[in-house]
């Protein structure tokens, strides 16, 4: 088994104990996607759930009801892109109210429901693979990002129920909830609740980087990819809403944290909310100097302008740190980047030759360990200045 | 701007500090063995009693000057290399030769990244050969016939550089450094094992155990501190093993030419070829 690294995270961050909701932004921004057909026009009124964009397989719906006021250019998952702007009327009007029915959760029903709600990956995996081990991960890889841990804590009943439904519908032999051993809150919660579900077990793992990546987690748990499936707590909660309540998830969970904030939080926000709106409405910045906003974590994220960055389904959070310039020194040939790489890429060779490696998983460990502070990740991505 | 937002805290300063911490007992013992002890025996003057410390001090001053020129911090590799030089030189080193050589080599190091520790030793070795002063023995060791027990060697009474004779502490340093993530432990481990295996075979064949060979201070100190210097050694695991094995073999051969200086010749040649060792293993792994 490969040796994984425990990251040194020595900044003390105070988190709000519960998930904070911010669901009433004035404007929402829905990113335009390549090859998607736009189904709405400027000044058109849209209901919550109205299809805004679609291609052959996917549809993107409006998370709020309101008026389309035009288009703007924003940062979409780290890259510039166009977005549809919707002015919120705060009525949350839905065109078609789906009625909740107590369904019989059999295999075919679940798969069709998952396809209907665009959980294509989960649906196709459950459809094509004989799953013997279902692993629910209740943690995130990125330091200071706490989405899954908080979702697991708040929605443990829903997640356990969903796990039980999947286990019985797909005849899954082993279902386990995986929690980091330093997350005492969740351990206590699950130890008291899990007894109701004898087919679900609790597994504790070390606090090591990359264990939230299914490949590394399965290897760590000594499970085979061929009959195992890893789902994070956040997705389990969304599956629960789709399958049990026939409900589309318009919200997502993000962590906004950092030493520059008075209090850090895990938030439930609508997809399409502008980061600036969240920061202005929910946070107090205590650092008087310049701050740097890192989208999607310190290890793999990139700096962003909060005025131009919105929350998408893929957003995991924003880390706010003081903007301090660190000087890059010349390589001292220590080889630590090569030694730490979990997929045995040779970052020094990439830096020396410029030939990129296709095996790189962009985990950022090489940059993290480098004693010369060289941004090796940028070399591996091919965009070092 | 550098885009590394989370860092392990490892940097040149922290790596150098660990090694310098381990070198401190060597400096103090060198001062005792080649300073205080000789002064007590009336073999050196009061001023020359501090020679081991002068050497360290000179190396620190030169390091500061060159660190300032190169805009580096105090705890840089320049400091480590210069301090290593001040510990491994012959006890009878001429101070003027020491200062001159050190300055010239530091200038060279600014432009050419070569391991200047063995280069320094080779230069001084050649100088002492020419002036017929070459020896690794101090004044006391030269004045009396010496025969040491294993314990004497272990506690640092054996011959060697001016401040590198703590044989047991070299070994302990290796154990400590093996737990450091940045240390290229495979080099000294494979080098020392290879060297001693060959030495044991040699002893079995000749039916003679020469303690001077087994307890060679220069070999052990150089294997632990100089051969694995990050900048001048391979970084792949395979490259490090190969480097260490060749280091052990060549050092064994060299002890028959010269017991003390051989290791420095070997390290110098291998450090020039260190990229080659990595290349072999990177190509092999493809």
């Amino acid at each position: 088994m490969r040796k994984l690294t425990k990251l040194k995270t020595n900044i003390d961050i105070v988190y709000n104990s519960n998930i904070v909701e911010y669901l009433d932004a004035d404007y929402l921004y829905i990113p335009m996607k390549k090859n998607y057909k736009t189904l709405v026009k400027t000044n058109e009124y849209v209901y919550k759930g109205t299809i805004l964009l679609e291609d052959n397989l996917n549809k993107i719906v409006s998370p709020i009801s309101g008026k389309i006021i035009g288009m703007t250019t924003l940062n979409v998952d780290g890259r510039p892109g166009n977005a549809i702007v919707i002015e919120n009327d705060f009525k949350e009007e839905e065109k078609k109210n789906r009625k909740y029915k107590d369904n019989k959760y059999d295999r075919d029903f679940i798969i069709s429901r998952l396809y209907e709600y665009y959980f294509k990956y989960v649906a196709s995996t459950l459809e094509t693979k004989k799953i013997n081990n279902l692993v629910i991960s209740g943690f995130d890889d990125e330091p200071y990002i706490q989405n899954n841990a908080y979702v697991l804590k708040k929605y443990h009943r829903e997640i356990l129920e969903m796990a039980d439904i999947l286990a019985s519908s797909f005849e899954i032999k082993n279902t386990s909830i995986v929690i980091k051993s330093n997350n005492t809150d969740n351990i206590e919660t699950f130890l008291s609740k899990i007894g109701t579900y004898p087919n679900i077990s609790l597994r504790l793992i070390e606090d090591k980087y990359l264990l939230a990546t299914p490949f590394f987690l399965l290897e760590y748990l000594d499970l085979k990819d061929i009959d195992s499936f890893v789902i994070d707590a956040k997705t389990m909660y969304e599956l629960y809403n789709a399958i049990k309540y026939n409900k589309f998830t318009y919200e997502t969970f993000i962590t906004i944290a950092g030493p520059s904030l008075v209090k850090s939080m895990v938030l439930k926000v609508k997809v399409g909310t502008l980061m600036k709106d969240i920061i202005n409405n929910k946070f107090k910045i205590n650092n008087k100097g310049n701050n740097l906003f890192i989208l999607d974590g310190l290890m793999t994220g990139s700096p962003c302008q909060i005025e131009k960055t919105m929350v998408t389904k893929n957003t995991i959070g924003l880390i706010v740190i003081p903007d301090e310039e660190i000087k890059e020194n010349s390589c001292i040939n220590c080889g630590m980047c090569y030694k730490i790489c979990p997929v045995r890429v040779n970052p020094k060779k990439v830096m020396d030759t410029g030939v990129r490696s296709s095996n790189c998983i962009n985990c950022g460990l090489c940059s993290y360990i480098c004693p010369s502070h060289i941004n090796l990740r940028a070399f591996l991505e091919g965009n070092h200045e | 701007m550098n885009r590394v937002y989370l860092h392990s805290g490892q940097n040149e300063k922290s790596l150098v500090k660990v090694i310098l911490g381990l070198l401190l007992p060597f400096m103090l013992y060198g001062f005792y063995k080649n300073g205080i002890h000789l002064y007590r025996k009336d073999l050196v003057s009061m001023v020359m009693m501090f020679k081991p410390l002068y050497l360290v001090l000179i190396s620190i001053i030169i390091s500061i000057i060159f660190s300032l020129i190169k805009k580096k911090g105090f705890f840089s590799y320049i400091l480590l290399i210069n301090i290593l030089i001040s510990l491994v030189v012959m006890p009878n080193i001429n101070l003027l030769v020491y200062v001159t050589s050190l300055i010239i080599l530091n200038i060279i190091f600014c432009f050419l990244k070569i391991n200047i520790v063995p280069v320094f030793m080779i230069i001084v070795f050649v100088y002492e050969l020419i002036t017929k002063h070459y020896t690794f023995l101090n004044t006391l060791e030269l004045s009396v016939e010496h025969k040491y027990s294993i314990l004497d060697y272990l506690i640092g009474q054996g011959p060697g550089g001016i401040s590198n004779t703590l044989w047991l502490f070299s070994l302990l340093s290796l154990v400590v450094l093996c737990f450091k993530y940045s240390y290229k432990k495979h080099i000294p481990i494979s080098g020392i094992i290879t060297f001693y295996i060959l030495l044991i075979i040699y002893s079995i064949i000749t039916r003679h155990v020469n303690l001077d060979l087994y307890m060679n201070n220069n070999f052990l100190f150089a294997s632990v501190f100089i051969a694995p210097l990050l900048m001048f050694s391979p970084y792949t695991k395979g490259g490090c093993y190969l480097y260490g094995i060749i280091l052990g073999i060549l050092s064994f051969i060299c002890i028959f030419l010269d017991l003390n200086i051989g290791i420095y010749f070997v390290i110098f040649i291998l450090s020039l070829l260190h990229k080659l060792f990595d290349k072999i293993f990177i190509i092999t792994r493809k």
Side-chain angles (χ1 to χ4, degrees), chain B residues 132-151:
Chain B
K132 293 178 181 166
H133 279 105
Y134 171 63
T135 180
F136 267 91
L137 302 175
N138 65 20
T139 330
L140 178 67
E141 288 159 344
L142 278 171
S143 63
V144 289
E145 182 116 346
H146 54 276
K147 188 162 173 59
Y148 301 112
S149 65
I150 291 180
L151 188 69

Side-chain angles (χ1 to χ4, degrees), chain A residues 296-310:
Chain A
D296 293 339
L298 297 176
M299 290 297 284
T300 59
S302 52
C304 70
Q305 289 172 280
I306 50 168
E307 309 77 37
K308 288 189 174 272
T309 304
M310 68 186 135

Side-chain angles (χ1 to χ4, degrees), chain A residues 118-180:
Chain A
Y118 316 120
F119 293 103
K120 264 194 320 183
Y121 175 68
V122 181
S124 65
T125 308
L126 290 171
E127 196 178 19
T128 54
K129 242 171 148 182
K130 170 68 190 124
I131 309 289
N132 285 325
N133 306 295
L134 177 67
V135 179
I136 298 148
S137 66
F139 51 88
D140 290 87
D141 261 341
E142 278 287 345
Y144 309 118
I145 301 284
Q146 298 281 347
N147 302 336
N148 281 308
Y150 271 67
V151 169
L152 201 61
K153 188 179 156 194
K154 184 165 181 185
Y155 302 107
H156 58 270
R157 283 189 193 88
E158 291 84 346
I159 289 167
L160 281 169
E161 197 183 330
M162 190 66 235
D164 190 46
I165 290 170
L166 289 179
S168 53
S169 309
F170 292 87
E171 291 166 0
I172 297 168
K173 285 180 193 158
N174 310 303
T175 304
S176 47
I177 311 269
V178 184
I179 301 174
K180 283 194 175 171

Side-chain angles (χ1 to χ4, degrees), chain B residues 61-62 71 112 120 122 127 130 138 147 149 194 202 217 229-230 238 247 249 270 276 283:
Chain B
I61 293 167
I62 293 175
K71 290 175 184 165
L112 199 62
F120 181 93
I122 294 163
Y127 167 79
I130 294 166
N138 65 20
K147 188 162 173 59
S149 65
T194 310
Y202 172 75
N217 285 312
L229 277 174
L230 298 177
L247 178 86
I249 295 169
L270 292 182
L276 199 70
I283 292 165

